[in-house]
Amino acid sequence: MNLFPQTNYSMNRAGAISRVFSTLRNRAGLPAFSWALALMLGGACADVHAQAAHFTRAHRAAVIGANSNQGSPQAVAAGGPGLNITPSSGNFGPVNVGSTSATPISLIFTFATAGTLGSTTVVTQGATNLDFTDAGTGTCKAGTAYGTGATCTVNVNFSPRFAGTRYGAADLLDGAGSVLATGYLQGTGVGPQLTFLPGTQSVVANAGNGLAYPQGVAVDGGGNVYIVDFDLVLKQTPSTGGYTQSVVPTSGLSSTTAVAVDGSGNVYIADYVSSQVVKETLSAGGYTQRVVANAANNGLNRPTAVAVDGNGNVYISDTGRTRVLKETLSSGNYIAQSIVADGVSNGLNNAIGVAVDGSGNVYIADWLNLRVLKETLSAGGYTQSVVVDSSTDGLYGPTGIAVDGTGSVFIVYSNVFLVLKATPSAAGYTQSVIANAANNGLYFPHAVAVDGSGNVYIGDNSFTNSRVVKEDLADPPTVTFPSVTAGATSLQTVTVSNNGNAALIFPVPGSGDNPSVSAYFVWDPTSTCQQSTANSSAAFELAGETSCTLSLDFEPTTLGSYSGTVKLTDNNLNVTGTEQGIQLAGICVGTQTITFPQPTSPVIFGVAPITLRATGGASGNPVLYSIVSGPGSLSGTNHRVLQFTGWGTVVVAANQAGNAFYNAAPQVTRSVVVEFSRLAALTSPTPGSILTGSSATFTWSQGTGATEYMLYLGTTGVRSDNLYNSGPTSATSVNVTGLPINGETIYARLYSYIGGAWHTLDYTYTAEPLEVTLTSPTPNSTLNGSNATFTWSTLPDVTKYELLLGTNGSGSDNLFHSGITTATAAIVTGLPVNGERISARLYWYVDGGWKYLDYIYKAYTAQ
């Protein structure tokens, strides 16, 4: 059957680049840009995204399977819903929040072919029994057979629950529950609507739900949150204590980057790599997929964002072609495509975000131009204006945008980890921060959505977070004040906003104050919100889309925990006498100090460990000790036993933690000087020197109070004695033979027996080397000319040397022969400059015989 819903109005109502990249690259630990931004750069990055998606599917499949209801199998339709339908849309215009439209809108459906109607439903963005409801006076009846050309009506009432534009639909379904036709509806709720900053943050989904890089987020009338993540579309349904996850089944998607929901609850998905936008219609317990636009039929080239208006028209950010498109819905099909803005006429440069308001105005995140544009619908065309840009706000690279029912624009700045709200004002737009890195832990956010209550949903897309968070702005927050001492004051501020389109009125109270504040919490005069008393001449009013600050002081008098409330009485959502309570909490704390007597100082290195003794304050927590600097270590209960590990100054700190009612005590430090001057110390050979030969006499100072000594010598590390162990001795020198002459490190440890304990000092020496070596010019190098100075190392027992240079092989001396010499250098002239090979042999006389080493040089080549 073909259905043609029409709108019957029975009452008068109104109808309807380098700076970005460098900033991103400078973020330590981040990818150069988010996946969606990477996709903008072309096929290579798209391939990376596809590969990453493939990799990610494997490791998150089990997580999603364990945490999700996979839903019913899908039906896929290449074109329309199988029926030629022409849904009309109805606009109720302004209706006061909490009231019902005076007259229903009748949607008239015409049956082009005979059939039996299964049922009808009226929804508000997919949810029943909200703003749009069936008036019950229509003629479309379930189970009724209609002949060709027959008509029936669905009459709809509008009772807005929130201020601003509200979206709904009336659906006709067949006997299996599949949608046959949809008539779109919208209206505008009129009234004041309170929101608060800071909001209360909660997690909708994260890596524990299988998220990898949430690119897009949307929310429907029932509070269900839709998340696109690579080729997956997840649905998070509110449930007790959190959300229940399910998967919106799709087909043929590979790199989803954005999601939107219309008045009927249909889900629209932008698929970047496949260059298409699809529509998922909840139908017969599952989803029916159809293509809204693609590369073949609409010329799409890598779409990155999608939005839908109150008439079911779809807006697409077609990034590959630098344009924003509008796909107009008619008779159930998208019959007309038009360009909202493009690079030629509007100067777009990578417009990667798109949103649309209730008047059909289109908002564009023009990423590389560092701005957000508004395309105002006018006389069938669009007039362009700037919402924000880098020249006014200093921010770069807007990525995701959303618009609420009263025209406020929510903008994501990924590279500075910020979500901003731009509220329309007489001067243009007033900016406020919704969430950022410091207060909300954002790390490369990419997408944003807003619900009718004013709550904001953020896709925080990064290796670190991989989550979607909800910023609850509709409910009054709980404000916790910094702890203070009795008689002191701490300050906290809450921003109170009228997110509606009518004045928010705080009436003059009959007695007391409005807002009223609990004891020990005091209204601060820096507040821009006004506190009225029974004697005030007029009520305080907050115009629509404006805000004020409510500042409070916490002024406790005695130790303890305090709680209270700021109670606002107003006409929120047009209900006179509504009360909102901002919960307050604070703690009055006391101070405490540590008494830390000075330990004995100076001390001799090697004394027994000492026990530190300090007493703390009233919290009763133990005093804990720590080494601030110097050669010491701590052990024992509360780290109170101090051991000295070397000489110098040890600085030790005493700390005592606070508790609910006492601040931590200020840290107290004490210094202990550790002296080594009284220990015996090696004096000869000079510590750190090269030994001469295989024997040496080791001599040490007597030290103070030392009665015995021991000397260890070894080559296997500190304290080794494989070369020598003197055993206890009262002598202050020993002669050691059999030392190596191979140039290795020799470790020496000298023990002093003082006060009944052994104390040690460690040293190192270098054994006598085995060979004399040429050091200059560098062996195997090319000489710099016909003259060169040859120098060589020495050994303690070597007194004679001989140098030979020649071109006839090793040991030849046709160029130079020094003869026997005691010098350690020789100046050689007349060297060849033809690049040939020069052999060098260096002799030295040691232990009654001559030894030598051969070297090679290359002669200088004359130019």
Side-chain angles (χ1 to χ4, degrees), residues 1-15:
M1 60 183 115
N2 290 347
L3 306 179
F4 300 91
Q6 301 168 350
T7 306
N8 178 22
Y9 291 95
S10 55
M11 66 175 184
N12 292 326
R13 51 176 61 91

Side-chain angles (χ1 to χ4, degrees), residues 396-410:
Y396 301 133
T399 52
I401 58 173
V403 61
D404 67 13
T406 55
S408 291
V409 185
F410 297 79

Side-chain angles (χ1 to χ4, degrees), residues 107-364:
L107 295 175
I108 304 171
F109 295 84
T110 302
F111 290 79
T113 58
T116 300
L117 180 63
S119 61
T120 64
T121 184
V122 175
V123 293
T124 305
Q125 283 190 297
T128 58
N129 300 315
L130 292 180
D131 302 60
F132 299 92
T133 56
D134 194 330
T137 57
T139 58
C140 294
K141 302 298 182 183
T144 302
Y146 293 91
T148 301
T151 64
C152 69
T153 61
V154 176
N155 296 335
V156 180
N157 286 326
F158 176 49
S159 301
R161 300 202 172 190
F162 300 108
T165 305
R166 308 290 293 152
Y167 300 105
D171 295 323
L172 266 59
L173 295 82
D174 65 15
S178 297
V179 175
L180 299 173
T182 298
Y184 287 94
L185 299 159
Q186 75 177 66
T188 301
V190 178
Q193 184 168 320
L194 263 174
T195 58
F196 301 88
L197 274 176
T200 302
Q201 181 171 291
S202 60
V203 175
V204 177
N206 57 18
N209 301 86
L211 293 191
Y213 302 102
Q215 292 290 309
V217 61
V219 60
D220 67 15
N224 303 302
V225 182
Y226 300 83
I227 306 166
V228 292
D229 187 1
F230 287 122
D231 59 343
L232 277 177
V233 181
L234 301 177
K235 179 180 180 180
Q236 306 293 339
T237 301
S239 61
T240 302
Y243 291 85
T244 300
Q245 179 169 287
S246 59
V247 176
V248 177
T250 59
S251 176
L253 304 187
S254 56
S255 296
T256 56
T257 54
V259 62
V261 179
D262 69 11
S264 183
N266 302 315
V267 180
Y268 299 77
I269 305 160
D271 186 15
Y272 181 86
V273 171
S274 299
S275 292
Q276 63 175 338
V277 172
V278 301
K279 175 181 179 180
E280 301 289 344
T281 301
L282 186 60
S283 188
Y287 285 88
T288 300
Q289 179 174 304
R290 62 167 299 188
V291 174
V292 175
N294 59 17
N297 298 322
N298 309 85
L300 291 193
N301 186 3
R302 296 194 169 106
T304 55
V306 61
V308 59
D309 66 17
N311 299 321
N313 304 314
V314 180
Y315 301 78
I316 303 168
S317 179
D318 190 17
T319 306
R321 295 188 181 276
T322 315
R323 60 182 182 171
V324 173
L325 300 175
K326 176 182 179 181
E327 305 293 339
T328 301
L329 182 66
S330 179
S331 299
N333 293 294
Y334 298 94
I335 62 168
Q337 177 173 288
S338 58
I339 296 176
V340 176
D342 62 15
V344 175
S345 301
N346 306 86
L348 300 187
N349 192 356
N350 267 318
I352 63 173
V354 64
V356 59
D357 65 19
S359 299
N361 305 313
V362 182
Y363 302 81
I364 303 169

Side-chain angles (χ1 to χ4, degrees), residues 625-630 632 634 649-655 667-670:
Y625 302 90
S626 62
I627 298 292
V628 177
S629 62
L634 296 169
T649 300
V650 179
V651 180
V652 62
N655 303 276
Q667 184 184 80
V668 179
T669 61
R670 295 288 182 261

